[in-house]
Amino acid sequence: MNTPEPTEYRIEHFRDRLAGGELAELGLLVELRGASVLIRGSVPSAAYRDRVLDLARTELAGLAIHADVVVAGNTQPDRAEDLP
């Protein structure tokens, strides 16, 4: 008989995949909030965010996922900053 893993184990497995996989992401916070999972933090690009959320949907299938993942601006300034 196959019993599903407890939610906490699934979340920890997702964290391990984030940290040890090709994403190597340590800056995202993944928390169980009631019956749903909250993922929050910042990532370097929209494509990177999409990959993280795709992985979350795969690893945490069947759970409600709320994402507050923002793309951090990492482009070089195009001009000097004017200081008073």
Side-chain angles (χ1 to χ4, degrees):
M1 179 166 119
N2 264 347
T3 57
E5 287 185 325
T7 302
E8 292 84 3
Y9 288 112
R10 294 178 65 199
I11 290 172
E12 195 57 39
H13 183 71
F14 173 64
R15 286 181 185 134
D16 289 345
R17 294 274 316 265
L18 282 177
E22 70 179 58
L23 294 174
E25 178 56 58
L26 298 174
L28 292 175
L29 182 64
V30 183
E31 300 177 309
L32 181 61
R33 296 279 177 103
S36 60
V37 178
L38 172 65
I39 304 169
R40 63 186 170 116
S42 63
V43 292
S45 71
Y48 196 93
R49 179 188 58 212
D50 293 343
R51 289 173 48 207
V52 166
L53 296 179
D54 284 344
L55 180 61
R57 284 188 284 274
T58 300
E59 292 292 326
L60 304 172
L63 297 171
I65 299 171
H66 299 282
D68 184 15
V69 180
V70 297
V71 176
N74 60 355
T75 58
Q76 193 170 13
D78 59 352
R79 60 184 174 80
E81 182 179 1
D82 293 329
L83 299 175

Coordinates of all heavy atoms in Angstrom, one line a residue:
M1 N 0.8 -1.2 0.0 CA 0.0 0.0 0.0 C 0.9 1.2 0.0 O 1.8 1.4 0.8 CB -0.9 0.0 1.3 CG -1.8 1.1 1.4 SD -3.0 0.8 2.7 CE -2.6 2.0 3.8
N2 N 0.6 2.2 -0.9 CA 1.4 3.4 -1.0 C 0.7 4.5 -0.2 O -0.4 4.9 -0.6 CB 1.5 3.9 -2.5 CG 2.8 3.4 -3.1 OD1 3.7 3.0 -2.4 ND2 2.9 3.5 -4.4
T3 N 1.3 5.0 0.8 CA 0.7 6.1 1.6 C 1.5 7.3 1.2 O 2.7 7.3 1.1 CB 0.8 5.9 3.1 OG1 2.1 5.6 3.5 CG2 -0.1 4.7 3.5
P4 N 0.8 8.5 1.0 CA 1.6 9.7 0.6 C 2.5 10.1 1.8 O 2.2 9.9 3.0 CB 0.5 10.7 0.4 CG -0.8 10.1 1.0 CD -0.6 8.7 1.1
E5 N 3.6 10.8 1.4 CA 4.5 11.3 2.4 C 3.8 12.5 3.1 O 3.0 13.2 2.5 CB 5.8 11.8 1.7 CG 6.7 10.7 1.3 CD 8.0 11.3 0.7 OE1 8.0 12.4 0.1 OE2 9.0 10.7 0.9
P6 N 4.1 12.7 4.4 CA 3.6 13.9 5.0 C 4.1 15.2 4.3 O 5.2 15.2 3.7 CB 4.2 13.8 6.4 CG 4.6 12.4 6.6 CD 4.9 11.9 5.2
T7 N 3.3 16.2 4.4 CA 3.5 17.4 3.7 C 4.9 18.0 4.1 O 5.6 18.5 3.2 CB 2.4 18.4 4.0 OG1 1.2 17.9 3.6 CG2 2.6 19.7 3.3
E8 N 5.3 17.9 5.3 CA 6.6 18.5 5.8 C 7.7 17.8 5.1 O 8.7 18.5 4.7 CB 6.7 18.3 7.3 CG 5.8 19.2 8.1 CD 4.4 18.5 8.3 OE1 4.2 17.4 7.9 OE2 3.5 19.2 8.9
Y9 N 7.6 16.5 4.8 CA 8.7 15.8 4.1 C 8.7 16.2 2.7 O 9.8 16.4 2.1 CB 8.5 14.3 4.2 CG 8.8 13.7 5.6 CD1 7.8 13.2 6.3 CD2 10.1 13.7 6.1 CE1 8.0 12.7 7.6 CE2 10.3 13.2 7.3 CZ 9.3 12.7 8.1 OH 9.6 12.2 9.3
R10 N 7.6 16.4 2.1 CA 7.5 16.9 0.7 C 8.2 18.3 0.5 O 8.9 18.5 -0.4 CB 6.1 16.9 0.2 CG 5.6 15.4 0.1 CD 4.1 15.4 -0.4 NE 4.0 15.9 -1.7 CZ 2.9 16.3 -2.3 NH1 1.8 16.3 -1.6 NH2 2.9 16.7 -3.5
I11 N 7.9 19.1 1.5 CA 8.4 20.5 1.5 C 10.0 20.4 1.6 O 10.7 21.1 0.9 CB 7.8 21.4 2.5 CG1 6.4 21.7 2.2 CG2 8.6 22.7 2.7 CD1 5.6 22.4 3.2
E12 N 10.4 19.6 2.6 CA 11.9 19.4 2.8 C 12.6 18.9 1.5 O 13.6 19.3 1.1 CB 12.1 18.6 4.0 CG 13.6 18.7 4.5 CD 14.0 20.1 4.8 OE1 13.2 20.9 5.4 OE2 15.2 20.4 4.5
H13 N 11.9 17.9 0.9 CA 12.5 17.4 -0.4 C 12.5 18.5 -1.5 O 13.5 18.6 -2.2 CB 11.6 16.2 -0.9 CG 12.1 15.6 -2.1 ND1 13.3 14.8 -2.1 CD2 11.7 15.6 -3.4 CE1 13.5 14.4 -3.3 NE2 12.5 14.8 -4.1
F14 N 11.5 19.3 -1.5 CA 11.5 20.4 -2.5 C 12.7 21.4 -2.1 O 13.4 21.8 -3.0 CB 10.2 21.2 -2.4 CG 10.2 22.4 -3.2 CD1 10.3 22.4 -4.6 CD2 9.9 23.7 -2.6 CE1 10.3 23.6 -5.3 CE2 9.9 24.8 -3.4 CZ 10.1 24.8 -4.7
R15 N 12.9 21.7 -0.9 CA 14.0 22.6 -0.5 C 15.3 21.9 -0.9 O 16.2 22.6 -1.3 CB 14.0 22.8 1.1 CG 12.9 23.7 1.5 CD 13.1 23.9 3.1 NE 12.0 24.7 3.6 CZ 11.3 24.3 4.7 NH1 11.6 23.2 5.3 NH2 10.3 25.1 5.1
D16 N 15.5 20.6 -0.7 CA 16.7 19.9 -1.1 C 16.9 20.0 -2.6 O 18.1 20.2 -3.0 CB 16.7 18.5 -0.6 CG 16.8 18.3 0.9 OD1 17.2 19.2 1.6 OD2 16.5 17.2 1.3
R17 N 15.9 19.9 -3.3 CA 16.0 20.0 -4.8 C 16.4 21.4 -5.2 O 17.2 21.5 -6.1 CB 14.7 19.6 -5.5 CG 14.2 18.2 -5.3 CD 14.8 17.2 -6.4 NE 14.8 17.6 -7.7 CZ 13.9 17.4 -8.7 NH1 12.8 16.7 -8.3 NH2 14.0 17.8 -9.9
L18 N 15.9 22.4 -4.5 CA 16.2 23.8 -4.8 C 17.7 24.0 -4.5 O 18.4 24.6 -5.3 CB 15.4 24.8 -4.0 CG 14.0 25.1 -4.5 CD1 13.3 26.0 -3.5 CD2 14.0 25.6 -5.9
A19 N 18.2 23.5 -3.4 CA 19.5 23.8 -2.9 C 20.6 23.0 -3.7 O 21.7 23.4 -4.0 CB 19.7 23.5 -1.4
G20 N 20.2 21.7 -4.0 CA 21.2 20.8 -4.6 C 21.2 20.6 -6.0 O 22.1 20.1 -6.6
G21 N 20.1 21.0 -6.7 CA 19.9 20.8 -8.1 C 20.6 21.8 -8.9 O 21.4 22.6 -8.5
E22 N 20.2 21.9 -10.2 CA 20.8 22.8 -11.1 C 20.4 24.3 -10.7 O 21.1 25.2 -11.1 CB 20.4 22.5 -12.5 CG 19.0 22.8 -12.9 CD 18.6 22.5 -14.3 OE1 18.8 21.4 -14.7 OE2 18.1 23.4 -15.0
L23 N 19.4 24.5 -10.0 CA 19.0 25.8 -9.6 C 19.9 26.4 -8.5 O 20.2 27.5 -8.5 CB 17.5 25.8 -9.1 CG 16.5 25.5 -10.1 CD1 15.1 25.4 -9.5 CD2 16.5 26.6 -11.2
A24 N 20.3 25.5 -7.6 CA 21.2 25.9 -6.5 C 20.7 27.1 -5.8 O 21.5 28.1 -5.5 CB 22.7 26.1 -7.0
E25 N 19.4 27.1 -5.5 CA 18.8 28.3 -4.9 C 18.7 28.1 -3.4 O 18.0 27.2 -2.9 CB 17.4 28.5 -5.5 CG 16.6 29.6 -4.9 CD 17.4 30.9 -5.0 OE1 17.7 31.3 -6.1 OE2 17.6 31.6 -4.0
L26 N 19.3 29.0 -2.6 CA 19.2 29.0 -1.2 C 18.4 30.2 -0.6 O 18.1 30.2 0.6 CB 20.6 29.0 -0.6 CG 21.5 27.8 -0.9 CD1 22.9 27.9 -0.4 CD2 20.8 26.5 -0.4
G27 N 18.1 31.2 -1.5 CA 17.5 32.4 -1.0 C 16.0 32.4 -0.9 O 15.4 33.4 -0.5
L28 N 15.4 31.3 -1.2 CA 13.9 31.3 -1.2 C 13.4 30.7 0.1 O 14.0 29.7 0.6 CB 13.3 30.5 -2.4 CG 13.5 31.2 -3.7 CD1 13.0 30.2 -4.8 CD2 12.8 32.5 -3.8
L29 N 12.4 31.2 0.7 CA 11.8 30.7 1.9 C 10.6 29.9 1.5 O 9.8 30.3 0.8 CB 11.4 31.8 2.8 CG 10.8 31.4 4.2 CD1 11.8 30.7 5.0 CD2 10.3 32.7 4.9
V30 N 10.6 28.6 2.0 CA 9.4 27.7 1.7 C 8.8 27.3 3.0 O 9.5 26.7 3.9 CB 9.9 26.5 0.9 CG1 8.8 25.6 0.6 CG2 10.7 26.9 -0.3
E31 N 7.6 27.7 3.2 CA 6.9 27.4 4.5 C 5.6 26.8 4.3 O 4.9 27.1 3.4 CB 6.7 28.7 5.3 CG 7.9 29.5 5.6 CD 7.6 30.8 6.3 OE1 6.7 31.6 5.8 OE2 8.2 31.1 7.3
L32 N 5.2 26.0 5.3 CA 3.8 25.4 5.3 C 3.0 26.4 6.1 O 3.3 26.8 7.2 CB 3.8 24.1 6.0 CG 2.5 23.4 6.1 CD1 1.9 23.1 4.8 CD2 2.6 22.1 6.9
R33 N 1.9 26.9 5.4 CA 1.0 27.9 6.1 C -0.4 27.3 6.0 O -1.1 27.3 5.0 CB 1.0 29.2 5.3 CG 2.3 29.9 5.3 CD 2.4 30.7 6.7 NE 3.7 31.4 6.8 CZ 3.8 32.7 6.6 NH1 2.8 33.4 6.3 NH2 5.0 33.2 6.8
G34 N -0.8 26.6 7.1 CA -2.1 26.0 7.1 C -2.1 24.8 6.2 O -1.2 23.9 6.3
A35 N -3.0 24.8 5.2 CA -3.0 23.7 4.2 C -2.3 24.0 2.9 O -2.4 23.3 1.9 CB -4.5 23.4 3.9
S36 N -1.6 25.2 2.9 CA -0.9 25.6 1.7 C 0.6 25.8 1.9 O 1.0 25.9 3.1 CB -1.6 26.8 1.1 OG -1.5 27.9 2.0
V37 N 1.3 26.0 0.8 CA 2.8 26.2 0.9 C 3.0 27.6 0.4 O 2.5 28.0 -0.7 CB 3.5 25.1 0.0 CG1 5.0 25.4 0.1 CG2 3.2 23.7 0.5
L38 N 3.8 28.4 1.1 CA 4.2 29.7 0.7 C 5.7 29.7 0.2 O 6.5 29.2 1.0 CB 4.0 30.7 1.8 CG 4.6 32.1 1.6 CD1 3.8 32.8 0.4 CD2 4.5 32.9 2.8
I39 N 5.9 30.2 -0.9 CA 7.3 30.3 -1.5 C 7.5 31.8 -1.7 O 6.8 32.4 -2.4 CB 7.5 29.6 -2.8 CG1 7.1 28.1 -2.6 CG2 8.9 29.7 -3.3 CD1 6.9 27.3 -4.0
R40 N 8.5 32.3 -1.0 CA 8.8 33.7 -1.2 C 10.3 34.0 -1.2 O 11.1 33.3 -0.7 CB 8.1 34.5 -0.1 CG 8.6 34.3 1.3 CD 7.7 35.1 2.3 NE 7.9 34.6 3.6 CZ 8.5 35.4 4.6 NH1 8.7 36.6 4.3 NH2 8.7 34.9 5.8
G41 N 10.6 35.1 -1.8 CA 12.0 35.6 -2.0 C 12.2 36.2 -3.3 O 11.3 36.5 -4.0
S42 N 13.5 36.3 -3.7 CA 13.8 36.9 -5.0 C 14.7 36.0 -5.8 O 15.5 35.3 -5.2 CB 14.4 38.3 -4.8 OG 15.6 38.2 -4.1
V43 N 14.6 36.1 -7.1 CA 15.4 35.3 -8.0 C 16.0 36.3 -9.1 O 15.5 37.4 -9.2 CB 14.6 34.2 -8.7 CG1 14.2 33.2 -7.6 CG2 13.4 34.7 -9.4
P44 N 17.0 35.9 -9.8 CA 17.7 36.8 -10.8 C 16.9 37.0 -12.1 O 17.2 38.0 -12.7 CB 19.0 36.1 -11.0 CG 18.8 34.7 -10.6 CD 17.8 34.6 -9.6
S45 N 16.0 36.2 -12.5 CA 15.3 36.4 -13.7 C 13.9 35.7 -13.7 O 13.6 34.9 -12.9 CB 16.1 35.8 -14.9 OG 16.1 34.4 -14.8
A46 N 13.1 36.2 -14.7 CA 11.7 35.6 -14.8 C 11.8 34.1 -15.2 O 11.0 33.3 -14.7 CB 10.9 36.4 -15.8
A47 N 12.8 33.8 -16.1 CA 12.9 32.4 -16.5 C 13.3 31.5 -15.3 O 12.8 30.4 -15.1 CB 14.0 32.3 -17.6
Y48 N 14.1 32.0 -14.4 CA 14.5 31.3 -13.2 C 13.3 31.1 -12.3 O 13.1 30.0 -11.8 CB 15.6 32.1 -12.5 CG 16.4 31.4 -11.5 CD1 17.6 30.8 -11.8 CD2 16.0 31.3 -10.1 CE1 18.4 30.1 -10.8 CE2 16.7 30.7 -9.2 CZ 17.9 30.0 -9.5 OH 18.6 29.4 -8.6
R49 N 12.5 32.2 -12.1 CA 11.3 32.1 -11.3 C 10.4 31.0 -11.9 O 9.8 30.2 -11.1 CB 10.6 33.4 -11.3 CG 9.3 33.4 -10.5 CD 8.5 34.6 -10.6 NE 8.2 34.9 -12.0 CZ 8.1 36.1 -12.5 NH1 8.2 37.1 -11.8 NH2 7.8 36.2 -13.8
D50 N 10.2 31.0 -13.2 CA 9.4 30.0 -13.8 C 9.9 28.5 -13.6 O 9.1 27.6 -13.3 CB 9.3 30.2 -15.3 CG 8.5 31.5 -15.7 OD1 7.8 32.0 -14.8 OD2 8.7 32.0 -16.8
R51 N 11.2 28.4 -13.6 CA 11.7 27.0 -13.3 C 11.5 26.6 -11.9 O 11.2 25.5 -11.6 CB 13.2 27.0 -13.7 CG 13.5 27.1 -15.2 CD 14.9 27.2 -15.6 NE 15.8 26.4 -14.9 CZ 17.1 26.7 -14.8 NH1 17.6 27.8 -15.2 NH2 17.9 25.8 -14.2
V52 N 11.6 27.6 -10.9 CA 11.4 27.3 -9.5 C 9.9 26.9 -9.3 O 9.6 25.9 -8.7 CB 11.7 28.5 -8.6 CG1 11.2 28.3 -7.2 CG2 13.2 28.7 -8.6
L53 N 9.0 27.6 -9.9 CA 7.6 27.3 -9.8 C 7.2 26.1 -10.5 O 6.3 25.3 -10.0 CB 6.8 28.5 -10.2 CG 7.0 29.8 -9.4 CD1 6.1 31.0 -9.9 CD2 6.7 29.6 -7.9
D54 N 7.8 25.7 -11.6 CA 7.5 24.5 -12.2 C 7.9 23.3 -11.3 O 7.2 22.3 -11.2 CB 8.2 24.4 -13.6 CG 7.6 25.2 -14.7 OD1 6.4 25.6 -14.5 OD2 8.3 25.4 -15.7
L55 N 9.1 23.4 -10.7 CA 9.6 22.4 -9.8 C 8.7 22.3 -8.6 O 8.3 21.2 -8.2 CB 11.0 22.7 -9.4 CG 11.7 21.7 -8.4 CD1 11.8 20.3 -9.0 CD2 13.0 22.2 -7.9
A56 N 8.2 23.4 -8.1 CA 7.2 23.4 -7.0 C 6.0 22.7 -7.3 O 5.5 21.8 -6.6 CB 6.9 24.8 -6.5
R57 N 5.4 22.9 -8.5 CA 4.2 22.3 -8.9 C 4.4 20.8 -9.1 O 3.5 20.0 -8.8 CB 3.7 22.9 -10.2 CG 3.0 24.2 -10.0 CD 2.3 24.7 -11.3 NE 3.3 25.2 -12.3 CZ 3.7 26.5 -12.3 NH1 3.3 27.4 -11.4 NH2 4.6 26.9 -13.2
T58 N 5.6 20.4 -9.5 CA 5.9 18.9 -9.6 C 6.1 18.3 -8.3 O 5.5 17.3 -8.0 CB 7.2 18.7 -10.5 OG1 7.0 19.3 -11.8 CG2 7.5 17.3 -10.6
E59 N 6.9 18.9 -7.4 CA 7.3 18.3 -6.1 C 6.1 18.4 -5.1 O 6.0 17.5 -4.2 CB 8.5 19.0 -5.5 CG 9.8 18.7 -6.3 CD 10.2 17.3 -6.1 OE1 10.0 16.7 -5.1 OE2 10.8 16.8 -7.1
L60 N 5.3 19.4 -5.2 CA 4.2 19.7 -4.3 C 2.8 19.5 -4.9 O 1.9 20.1 -4.4 CB 4.4 21.1 -3.7 CG 5.8 21.3 -3.0 CD1 5.9 22.8 -2.6 CD2 6.0 20.4 -1.8
A61 N 2.7 18.6 -5.9 CA 1.5 18.4 -6.6 C 0.4 18.1 -5.6 O 0.6 17.3 -4.6 CB 1.6 17.3 -7.6
G62 N -0.8 18.7 -5.8 CA -1.9 18.4 -4.9 C -2.0 19.4 -3.7 O -3.0 19.4 -3.0
L63 N -1.0 20.2 -3.5 CA -1.0 21.2 -2.4 C -1.2 22.6 -3.0 O -0.8 22.8 -4.2 CB 0.3 21.2 -1.7 CG 0.7 19.9 -0.9 CD1 2.1 20.1 -0.4 CD2 -0.3 19.7 0.3
A64 N -1.9 23.4 -2.3 CA -2.1 24.8 -2.8 C -0.7 25.5 -2.6 O -0.1 25.4 -1.5 CB -3.2 25.5 -2.0
I65 N -0.3 26.1 -3.6 CA 1.0 26.9 -3.6 C 0.7 28.3 -3.8 O 0.1 28.7 -4.8 CB 1.9 26.3 -4.7 CG1 2.2 24.9 -4.5 CG2 3.2 27.2 -4.7 CD1 3.0 24.2 -5.6
H66 N 1.3 29.1 -2.9 CA 1.2 30.6 -3.0 C 2.6 31.1 -3.2 O 3.5 30.8 -2.4 CB 0.6 31.2 -1.8 CG -0.8 30.8 -1.5 ND1 -1.9 31.2 -2.2 CD2 -1.3 29.8 -0.7 CE1 -3.0 30.6 -1.8 NE2 -2.7 29.8 -0.9
A67 N 2.8 31.8 -4.3 CA 4.2 32.3 -4.6 C 4.3 33.8 -4.5 O 3.5 34.5 -5.1 CB 4.6 31.8 -6.0
D68 N 5.3 34.2 -3.7 CA 5.6 35.7 -3.7 C 7.1 35.7 -4.0 O 7.9 36.1 -3.2 CB 5.3 36.2 -2.3 CG 5.6 37.7 -2.2 OD1 5.7 38.4 -3.2 OD2 5.7 38.2 -1.0
V69 N 7.4 35.4 -5.3 CA 8.7 35.3 -5.8 C 8.9 36.5 -6.8 O 8.2 36.6 -7.8 CB 9.0 34.0 -6.5 CG1 10.4 34.0 -7.0 CG2 8.8 32.8 -5.5
V70 N 9.8 37.4 -6.4 CA 10.0 38.6 -7.3 C 11.3 38.4 -8.0 O 12.3 37.8 -7.6 CB 10.0 39.9 -6.4 CG1 8.7 40.1 -5.8 CG2 11.1 39.9 -5.4
V71 N 11.4 39.1 -9.2 CA 12.6 39.1 -10.0 C 13.4 40.4 -9.5 O 12.9 41.5 -9.6 CB 12.3 39.2 -11.5 CG1 13.6 39.3 -12.3 CG2 11.5 38.0 -11.9
A72 N 14.6 40.1 -9.0 CA 15.5 41.2 -8.6 C 16.1 41.8 -9.8 O 16.6 41.1 -10.7 CB 16.6 40.7 -7.7
G73 N 16.1 43.1 -9.9 CA 16.8 43.8 -11.0 C 18.3 43.6 -10.9 O 18.9 44.0 -9.9
N74 N 18.9 43.0 -11.9 CA 20.3 42.8 -11.8 C 21.0 43.3 -13.0 O 22.1 42.9 -13.4 CB 20.6 41.3 -11.7 CG 20.0 40.5 -12.8 OD1 19.4 41.0 -13.7 ND2 20.3 39.2 -12.8
T75 N 20.4 44.3 -13.7 CA 21.0 44.9 -14.9 C 22.0 46.0 -14.4 O 21.7 46.7 -13.4 CB 20.0 45.4 -15.9 OG1 19.2 46.4 -15.2 CG2 19.1 44.3 -16.4
Q76 N 23.0 46.3 -15.2 CA 23.9 47.3 -14.9 C 23.3 48.7 -15.1 O 22.6 48.8 -16.1 CB 25.2 47.1 -15.7 CG 26.3 47.9 -15.3 CD 27.6 47.5 -16.1 OE1 27.5 46.7 -17.0 NE2 28.7 47.9 -15.6
P77 N 23.5 49.6 -14.3 CA 23.0 51.0 -14.5 C 23.5 51.5 -15.9 O 24.6 51.3 -16.3 CB 23.5 51.8 -13.4 CG 24.0 50.9 -12.4 CD 24.3 49.6 -13.1
D78 N 22.6 52.3 -16.5 CA 23.0 52.9 -17.8 C 23.6 54.3 -17.7 O 24.1 54.8 -18.7 CB 21.9 52.9 -18.8 CG 20.7 53.7 -18.3 OD1 20.7 54.1 -17.1 OD2 19.7 53.9 -19.1
R79 N 23.6 54.8 -16.5 CA 24.2 56.1 -16.2 C 24.7 56.2 -14.8 O 24.3 55.4 -14.0 CB 23.2 57.3 -16.6 CG 22.0 57.2 -15.7 CD 21.0 58.3 -16.2 NE 19.8 58.2 -15.4 CZ 19.5 58.6 -14.2 NH1 20.5 59.2 -13.5 NH2 18.4 58.4 -13.6
A80 N 25.5 57.2 -14.5 CA 26.0 57.4 -13.2 C 24.9 58.0 -12.3 O 24.0 58.7 -12.8 CB 27.1 58.4 -13.2
E81 N 24.9 57.7 -11.0 CA 23.9 58.2 -10.1 C 24.3 59.6 -9.7 O 25.5 59.9 -9.4 CB 23.9 57.3 -8.8 CG 22.9 57.8 -7.8 CD 22.9 56.9 -6.5 OE1 23.7 55.9 -6.5 OE2 22.1 57.1 -5.6
D82 N 23.3 60.6 -9.7 CA 23.6 61.9 -9.3 C 23.4 62.1 -7.8 O 22.3 61.9 -7.3 CB 22.6 62.9 -10.1 CG 22.8 62.9 -11.6 OD1 24.0 62.8 -12.0 OD2 21.9 63.1 -12.3
L83 N 24.5 62.5 -7.2 CA 24.4 62.7 -5.7 C 24.4 64.2 -5.4 O 25.2 64.9 -6.1 CB 25.6 62.0 -5.0 CG 25.6 60.5 -5.2 CD1 26.9 59.9 -4.6 CD2 24.4 59.8 -4.6
P84 N 23.7 64.6 -4.4 CA 23.7 66.0 -4.0 C 25.0 66.5 -3.4 O 25.8 65.7 -2.9 CB 22.6 66.2 -3.1 CG 22.2 64.8 -2.6 CD 22.8 63.9 -3.6

